[in-house]
């Protein structure tokens, strides 16, 4: 199917489920079923999966097509160097942590980072949460350290360490849907109801600058933002944009049955409405595979992670497959090379894609190539390595004259101790004190804000 990108002509028109197999065939929405599929959950009874999907086929989706289009247009601005993309949130959202406190803390941290990044980049920052649906995880091994079937995310099984809890249960897709819908509902309400007020967000940042051991370094930017806000207020600028913000929802598109069940056709165009933006991970990006095929059929903006083994030729083929009409904002390429490799591996990829004229957003994921196991057995990352990978990503783009469009980080708005270093100097010994992630280590609030300030400095220079 050729993508039919268009502005939404009638926002009141209702998207409809793909109810007949003829219709699904027309859009190729079930073609993925015939392709090789990595990370396939070991369902015990596929007919139960189909029954659950039958329920999800008829529910109201989590996001609306006009929002998806809005995000795609914002990402087109990123593609053209007129905006910057900030994406972040839990590695793995869990049902138990889907509380107001947890979800709003993530949103608040993203808003705080976005303010300093907006100032550093002097362009709007597009905010994309790993929220309201990040419930599935690709894994490197099928067994965990205890020899149990591995945890695959709350969409599939439970983190609890028993054989029974690790059985993949299709009913969990219904819980994932309900939790995602509740989180999205609450985020919309708070973000349009005062939480995103620029002055309030800046005040939280001032608290951070006051309390951070590295506060002195960030004080200058904090004061400059203060002056800019005072200037705008003196000029009588009271624009709505100063009080509200849009935070879009994203998740890894791993549970294809779930995302397919939440796909609707709107005005002749299929949208996957389980989230605004979906990405394909490093472990499921094969060109002839089910994940790439499914995302090639829906009109959402999408991303693909690429690790150091991705060749320039392969990345170009991926661009042709996922964005045949070369629509700006449709495709984001997310290098996650590791800080020691990014400067060597990324340049030929960016050169090849740029020379071919392929329009993509380049976004750095400085987390996934920098994971290692501490002596205590905790999976961790060093804050310095994270910063260095972003720096390397910026250096590559500066040298090539291309645009470093954004960052994608695993973070939480809570004071966890999962990543080493930062101004708080979290040590290996301290990791155990608040190590709460269900999968990979996240930057805590302070480390996230510190990263925001450091990236703002990079953007200014
Ligand atoms: O978040 C990404 C992956 O799901 C994660 O890094 C896999 O972790 P594992 O290597 O422990 O399976
Ligand atoms: C699995 C993830 O990343 P990657 O595919 O890059 O390992 C992720 O971002 O959750």
């Amino acid at each position: 199917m050729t993508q039919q990108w268009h502005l939404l002509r009638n926002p009141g028109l209702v998207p409809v489920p793909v109810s007949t197999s003829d219709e699904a065939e027309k859009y190729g929405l079930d073609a993925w079923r015939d392709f090789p599929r990595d990370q396939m959950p070991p369902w015990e009874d596929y007919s139960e999966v189909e029954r659950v999907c039958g329920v999800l086929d008829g529910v109201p989706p989590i996001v609306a097509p006009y929002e998806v289009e809005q995000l795609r247009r914002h990402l087109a601005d990123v593609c053209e160097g007129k905006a910057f993309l900030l994406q972040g949130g839990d590695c793995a959202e869990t049902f138990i942590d889907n509380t107001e406190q947890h979800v709003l803390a993530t949103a608040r941290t993203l808003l705080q980072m976005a303010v300093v990044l907006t100032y550093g980049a002097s362009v709007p920052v597009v905010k994309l949460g790993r929220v309201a649906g990040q419930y599935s995880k690709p894994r490197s091994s099928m067994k965990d350290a205890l020899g149990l079937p591995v945890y695959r995310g709350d969409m599939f099984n439970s983190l609890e360490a028993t054989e029974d809890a690790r059985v993949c249960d299709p009913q969990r897709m219904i819980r994932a849907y309900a939790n995602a819908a509740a989180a999205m509902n609450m985020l919309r309400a708070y973000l349009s109801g005062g939480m995103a007020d620029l002055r309030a967000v800046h005040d939280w940042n001032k608290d951070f600058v006051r309390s951070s051991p590295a506060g002195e370094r960030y004080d200058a930017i904090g004061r400059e933002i203060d002056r800019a806000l005072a200037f705008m207020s003196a000029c009588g600028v009271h624009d709505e944009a100063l009080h509200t913000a849009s935070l879009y929802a994203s998740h890894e598109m791993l549970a294809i049955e779930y995302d397919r069940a939440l796909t609707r056709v709107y005005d002749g165009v299929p949208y996957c409405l389980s989230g605004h933006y979906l990405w394909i991970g490093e472990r499921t990006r094969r060109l002839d595979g089910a994940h790439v095929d499914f995302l090639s059929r829906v009109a959402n903006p999408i991303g693909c992670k690429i690790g150091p083994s991705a060749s320039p030729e392969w990345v170009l083929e991926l661009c042709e497959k996922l964005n045949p009409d070369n629509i700006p904002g449709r495709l984001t390429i997310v290098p996650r090379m590791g800080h020691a490799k990014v400067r060597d591996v990324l340049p030929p990829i960016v050169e090849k894609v740029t020379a071919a004229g392929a329009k993509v957003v380049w976004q750095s994921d400085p987390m996934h190539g920098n994971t290692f196991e501490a002596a205590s057995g905790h999976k961790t990352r060093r804050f310095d390595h994270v910063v260095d990978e972003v720096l390397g990503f910026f250096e590559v783009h500066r040298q090539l004259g291309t645009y470093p469009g954004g960052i994608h980080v695993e973070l939480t708005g809570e004071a966890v101790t999962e990543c080493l270093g930062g101004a708080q100097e979290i040590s290996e010994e301290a990791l155990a004190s608040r190590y709460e992630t269900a999968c990979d280590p996240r930057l805590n609030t302070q480390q996230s804000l510190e990263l925001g300030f450091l990236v703002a400095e990079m953007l200014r220079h």
Side-chain angles (χ1 to χ4, degrees), residues 62-81:
I62 294 168
V63 303
Y66 82 91
E67 297 174 318
V68 174
E69 280 293 336
Q70 231 168 35
L71 173 63
R72 208 272 309 155
R73 291 199 291 274
H74 291 318
L75 292 175
D77 288 341
V78 177
C79 194
E80 284 156 18

Side-chain angles (χ1 to χ4, degrees), residues 322-367:
L322 289 178
N323 192 12
D325 298 334
N326 212 15
I327 312 273
R330 154 74 173 168
L331 180 61
T332 296
I333 300 286
V334 194
R336 30 85 90 210
M337 304 300 184
H339 77 111
K341 293 191 177 149
V342 64
R343 292 170 179 83
D344 297 328
V345 182
L346 187 57
I349 295 177
V350 177
E351 278 176 314
K352 181 99 189 168
V353 170
T354 309
K359 291 192 169 64
V360 299
V361 168
W362 295 104
Q363 182 196 35
S364 167
D365 166 356
M367 312 297 290

